[in-house]
Amino acid sequence: MRTDREAVDILIVGFGFSVIPLLRELERRGQRYTILSDGAPIWQQLAASDRLDFDLVSSFHASFYAQDQVEAGTIENYYPTAREFYEYHERLFSRFRDKVIDDRVVDVENYASHSVVRTRGGAVYEARSLVFATGLGRPQNETIKELDLRDVRGKTIVFNAIGDTTNMMVARAVPQGNRVILLNNGFITLDKYMVIDIPGPKGSNWYIPFAGVRTGKRYALDLAQLECHTVARLWPKFYKDLIAIPLGPPEPESWIAKRVLPHVFHVRFPATYRRDSVRGNHEAKAGLSNGLIGVKYWPIDMYEQRFGDDLEGNIRRGVLVNDIIFYHTEGMVETWSKDRATVDHENMTVSCDGRTERFDVFVDGGTEAPRLPPIVAVDGDGRRHEFAYDHRASYLGVVPAALRNVYFIGYTRPFTGGIANITEMQGLMVHKLLSDSGRRAALYADIDRRIADYNAFYYPPGQKRTATDHLVHFGTYTDDVARFIGIDRKLRRALSWSPWRTILNLRFELLHPNNALKFRMEGEYAVDGAEALGRAVAAHNEHWIIMVFLWLSTLWDMLLGYLCLALIFLRYGAEPLLLAEGAADWGALANAAGWGALCLLLAAVWRRNLHVVNLLSYSLAVPLFGLKASLQPLAMLYIASTGDWYLCLVVFAVIAAVAFAFRQFHMPPISGRYLFADTKYKHKYRPFWERYREAYLRVEEERRAAKAAST
């Protein structure tokens, strides 16, 4: 083995999609680096195994890097196929591939001033800065390559994990007549797409104020782009109450869940309700917690509307029905409690809650873990400490407190949206630390406090470490990274001498999703054309007006409750006091004090349960959001002018009645369908499913015939 060391300034271990933004910045500034990698990235492995037969769970604007989005100029929301994403990777890699040294790192020693890196090929590097971008691995990735579910028919398949990759495999298994049992402890369902065709002459584009849409236009909305992350930063309590229902309704067994939301997926199928995540999300100070597990899927009604005209063509492209809710309601897939289940691999049976079923195929999902070589931290006294990557022991998952001048890119995953947003911002963060010694020194001076503050904000108090700690809300995470770098969007930049311009700017800053593109519109890492593209995307989506209507609907409900209590106090507490004879009517004072205390108590209860109050807005169909947001404040002004508190209850009753009545209609594009996790009308799509399944089987038969002919 060689003993001489090659001194390098920046050593990068791993060559894949996540490291591209860092490489681009290093190249742009002429900074020298060395990059080591062995083996093919996962997407190249999937291509070699003929597994590029699916579409992504994140849209174009969350999956492609900012520079490439600008070059493409795409403003519509769509989901790239795996083939398209692989070809994108190949274009990115072609620029850097000849700079990669094919070698594997076998061990690392980290010192205060440098790291010693040894490779399988015998090379020894002394690196001033070390960057890992080797990615996450899990057993399921190998299963995808080795097990071709397209050839499994009429079997019982058990998956012991849940997530987007599992659901991708389920989408292959179900159409071929397989029965699927999912072993997990619950998950959050996320409709990834909504298609709304607005009636009217095609191309008429007449704006309907109460609805916030234009006639004759098709809206294709990526729901992850509607999360309005800046609102979470500014008003975490309001945001928490706003998203509580989509992330999980009240306890499925509760009276209110069964009476108000009986058709919500987790109420109808309680085994899918992830109690620890929903509870933890409610307790986190940030208004939303890290560690949530979600499954993003094509709702079957949206799939039919978007892809139903060319089923075989879309299936060939890998765009599949993966509606996990539909699969449950139609009995094709079951969820069993992983904690209570027992798997007998020898006899190939699975048991849970008194049921035992034989299975033919068992898919071990495993957990994601960083693919890292052994790393040892050597302190000033020469003592050696084994290092294990821990997202909670690293600042923003990038800078571990236990090492010096070592950085990790690509070990943080998004709960929603695409990983490109995260890895692009991480690449910029690492570049900043590599280039700015002052920023680097300031970070290490108080890294423990920074990590503790972050964890206290984004994780529930007292929660133990879990295998999903690295799953974050991409928009708050990108904002945190941008703040550290110094490229965050300040709200004061929205101010203008023109009040109207200020309103428009605030609308953009508050509503536009915190994709990496947003933080590259100006500043040190600006991309030419990024702001123009971002504003064009916002305009195409009517500036996310659907979320404004939802916000206002929930805000008016909140204020209507407070208005009711205020009017009650004025009528029964303040008014008798004002009309009392004499300067010291102690009876009137006691009465006012009593009513005041009661109303304050009820106001506190109201505030504490706003997430339940929001059920009223979430019980509305989407087309009613704008109507409610526009008309309810007029009713509230009238009530305030009359002082009749009971009219507040009338308004609540009318809203509930309208919501109930509208729920009975399902004539797309007009539908009483909820925005998220609705099971009420799934059964109506069984005929479409049969048509889809026939098309799927025809496509698979063509594939098998072509494969046989080629061999």
Side-chain angles (χ1 to χ4, degrees):
M1 178 179 289
R2 290 170 47 185
T3 58
D4 57 314
R5 299 180 180 180
E6 180 180 346
V8 296
D9 187 36
I10 301 170
L11 181 62
I12 300 170
V13 180
F15 177 61
F17 180 68
S18 63
V19 81
I20 295 298
L22 173 61
L23 295 181
R24 281 175 161 172
E25 293 305 317
L26 293 172
E27 289 280 339
R28 188 160 71 92
R29 291 165 170 79
Q31 295 170 271
R32 300 181 62 183
Y33 61 89
T34 301
I35 183 166
L36 304 175
S37 185
D38 77 305
I42 183 62
W43 284 89
Q44 279 64 32
Q45 296 176 44
L46 292 175
S49 304
D50 187 28
R51 295 296 186 272
L52 298 177
D53 53 0
F54 58 94
D55 66 333
L56 304 191
V57 296
S58 55
S59 68
F60 172 82
H61 295 114
S63 303
F64 280 52
Y65 290 132
Q67 175 181 324
D68 307 303
Q69 289 185 42
V70 172
E71 290 178 3
T74 301
I75 62 173
E76 294 186 1
N77 295 308
Y78 83 98
Y79 287 76
T81 63
R83 174 66 60 179
E84 180 183 353
F85 199 50
Y86 163 73
E87 292 170 352
Y88 171 52
H89 282 212
E90 288 297 289
R91 293 195 301 273
L92 294 177
F93 295 159
S94 62
R95 179 180 174 187
F96 305 101
R97 190 168 273 132
D98 61 349
K99 300 184 179 182
V100 178
I101 298 172
D102 185 9
D103 205 352
R104 170 175 290 189
V105 173
V106 294
D107 69 73
V108 175
E109 292 177 347
N110 176 247
Y111 299 86
S113 61
H114 65 279
S115 294
V116 177
V117 179
R118 298 179 178 85
T119 73
R120 183 173 55 187
V124 182
Y125 296 91
E126 184 175 304
R128 188 169 68 87
S129 298
L130 180 59
V131 180
F132 283 102
T134 52
L136 295 163
R138 64 186 304 180
Q140 195 167 247
N141 293 345
E142 297 304 314
T143 302
I144 295 172
K145 294 182 292 181
E146 297 169 1
L147 174 64
D148 193 346
L149 286 170
R150 297 174 297 189
D151 295 329
V152 179
R153 298 186 290 277
K155 306 294 185 180
T156 296
I157 306 174
V158 174
F159 295 84
N160 76 337
I162 192 64
D164 293 323
T165 303
T166 296
N167 199 40
M168 176 190 74
M169 292 191 282
V170 170
R172 283 289 178 192
V174 170
Q176 301 189 144
N178 294 299
R179 182 187 176 204
V180 174
I181 298 174
L182 302 176
L183 303 182
N184 59 80
N185 295 317
F187 52 92
I188 295 166
T189 55
L190 300 165
D191 295 31
K192 72 178 187 178
Y193 206 64
M194 172 167 283
V195 180
I196 306 174
D197 287 311
I198 306 303
K202 189 173 182 179
S204 55
N205 262 8
W206 299 325
Y207 189 71
I208 309 173
F210 284 163
V213 295
R214 298 180 185 276
T215 58
K217 183 174 178 179
R218 164 172 281 188
Y219 291 90
L221 301 174
D222 168 18
L223 296 185
Q225 300 297 292
L226 299 177
E227 294 179 6
C228 307
H229 311 101
T230 303
V231 175
R233 169 72 63 185
L234 296 174
W235 302 290
K237 175 67 168 63
F238 174 71
Y239 193 83
K240 178 189 299 185
D241 293 334
L242 184 68
I243 68 168
I245 306 307
L247 294 189
E251 296 282 337
E253 301 82 7
S254 68
W255 181 91
I256 193 167
K258 290 182 176 180
R259 299 301 185 278
V260 180
L261 296 173
H263 298 292
V264 167
F265 176 61
H266 300 295
V267 177
R268 187 169 169 184
F269 298 93
T272 67
Y273 184 74
R274 197 171 185 91
R275 300 170 192 277
D276 57 342
S277 293
V278 176
R279 189 179 302 114
N281 192 74
H282 183 70
E283 295 171 355
K285 293 179 181 179
L288 64 179
S289 70
N290 290 348
L292 301 181
I293 297 177
V295 175
K296 299 176 279 293
Y297 63 95
W298 285 110
I300 193 168
D301 54 338
M302 298 294 110
Y303 185 98
E304 180 187 29
Q305 200 168 342
R306 178 69 177 83
F307 303 113
D309 293 337
D310 182 19
L311 283 177
E312 292 187 21
N314 285 299
I315 291 169
R316 289 189 189 96
R317 293 172 53 236
V319 183
L320 308 180
V321 170
N322 60 354
D323 189 339
I324 195 168
I325 292 181
F326 176 78
Y327 291 156
H328 277 77
T329 61
E330 298 305 302
M332 304 170 193
V333 172
E334 295 180 67
T335 290
W336 291 13
S337 169
K338 188 174 183 177
D339 285 345
R340 299 195 301 272
T342 302
V343 180
D344 183 343
H345 289 283
E346 183 177 354
N347 295 306
M348 299 186 72
T349 62
V350 58
S351 303
C352 183
D353 297 336
R355 295 180 59 186
T356 298
E357 299 286 348
R358 292 188 58 82
F359 62 82
D360 304 286
V361 179
F362 185 87
V363 179
D364 181 10
T367 57
E368 287 187 321
R371 295 180 296 183
L372 296 170
I375 302 173
V376 173
V378 184
D379 63 24
D381 297 323
R383 290 172 298 193
R384 300 168 65 85
H385 309 273
E386 290 187 6
F387 170 81
Y389 178 83
D390 180 352
H391 198 273
R392 286 210 211 181
S394 306
Y395 183 54
L396 296 175
V398 174
V399 188
L403 303 177
R404 284 299 176 267
N405 303 313
V406 179
Y407 312 107
F408 293 84
I409 298 176
Y411 305 92
T412 305
R413 296 281 192 184
F415 167 59
T416 63
I419 195 171
N421 287 311
I422 289 176
T423 55
E424 181 161 7
M425 296 302 292
Q426 287 182 336
L428 301 184
M429 177 181 176
V430 170
H431 182 266
K432 186 69 174 177
L433 289 167
L434 293 173
S435 308
D436 189 336
S437 59
R439 185 66 57 91
R440 185 170 62 248
L443 171 60
Y444 281 122
D446 67 345
I447 190 170
D448 291 326
R449 179 194 61 79
R450 289 173 183 258
I451 292 172
D453 288 349
Y454 179 88
N455 290 344
F457 195 59
Y458 286 106
Y459 296 98
Q463 184 196 63
K464 296 180 179 179
R465 281 168 163 74
T466 71
T468 61
D469 283 345
H470 63 298
L471 299 179
V472 303
H473 292 261
F474 80 90
T476 54
Y477 180 86
T478 55
D479 185 52
D480 286 325
V481 176
R483 287 168 181 267
F484 174 78
I485 299 173
I487 58 173
D488 53 308
R489 309 276 295 187
K490 303 290 193 301
L491 273 185
R492 62 175 178 268
R493 72 182 303 279
L495 300 178
S496 168
W497 291 107
S498 166
W500 180 242
R501 174 56 57 186
T502 297
I503 292 173
L504 296 181
N505 288 341
L506 283 173
R507 178 180 65 180
F508 181 80
E509 297 299 332
L510 291 174
L511 303 183
H512 199 71
N514 284 354
N515 293 326
L517 181 80
K518 186 176 181 181
F519 299 109
R520 305 202 69 175
M521 293 180 180
E522 60 183 16
E524 181 180 357
Y525 295 101
V527 171
D528 290 341
E531 179 146 10
L533 177 62
R535 292 190 180 274
V537 170
H540 178 74
N541 291 284
E542 306 298 347
H543 302 280
W544 321 109
I545 192 66
I546 187 174
M547 286 308 297
V548 175
F549 287 153
L550 178 58
W551 287 358
L552 291 177
S553 292
T554 57
L555 179 63
W556 300 148
D557 288 343
M558 176 181 71
L559 295 179
L560 185 59
Y562 291 135
L563 175 62
C564 182
L565 294 174
L567 293 178
I568 288 174
F569 172 72
L570 290 174
R571 173 68 60 86
Y572 301 108
E575 188 174 310
L577 180 63
L578 294 174
L579 296 177
E581 297 181 1
D585 189 330
W586 296 107
L589 283 172
N591 176 70
W595 278 104
L598 176 63
C599 290
L600 286 174
L601 175 63
L602 293 176
V605 172
W606 183 257
R607 184 179 186 277
R608 184 177 178 82
N609 292 280
L610 285 176
H611 60 287
V612 178
V613 176
N614 289 344
L615 289 174
L616 193 59
S617 289
Y618 276 108
S619 296
L620 291 173
V622 175
L624 295 180
F625 285 171
L627 196 65
K628 180 175 183 291
S630 304
L631 297 183
Q632 188 170 337
L634 300 179
M636 292 167 64
L637 287 174
Y638 174 77
I639 294 171
S641 68
T642 63
D644 294 329
W645 62 269
Y646 58 86
L647 292 179
C648 296
L649 304 182
V650 173
V651 171
F652 278 127
V654 169
I655 295 171
V658 171
F660 176 80
F662 208 82
R663 276 286 285 165
Q664 313 315 309
F665 291 94
H666 184 69
M667 295 175 290
I670 306 301
S671 172
R673 175 191 189 275
Y674 292 153
L675 189 59
F676 296 96
D678 195 355
T679 68
K680 184 177 176 67
Y681 296 106
K682 294 292 184 184
H683 66 282
K684 290 182 175 291
Y685 291 89
R686 189 70 193 224
F688 170 73
W689 166 256
E690 295 301 334
R691 183 163 67 90
Y692 167 86
R693 184 169 181 266
E694 291 172 2
Y696 180 94
L697 294 176
R698 285 195 299 270
V699 170
E700 284 305 303
E701 188 58 37
E702 291 173 7
R703 181 191 64 82
R704 282 189 284 270
K707 184 177 180 180
S710 66
T711 57

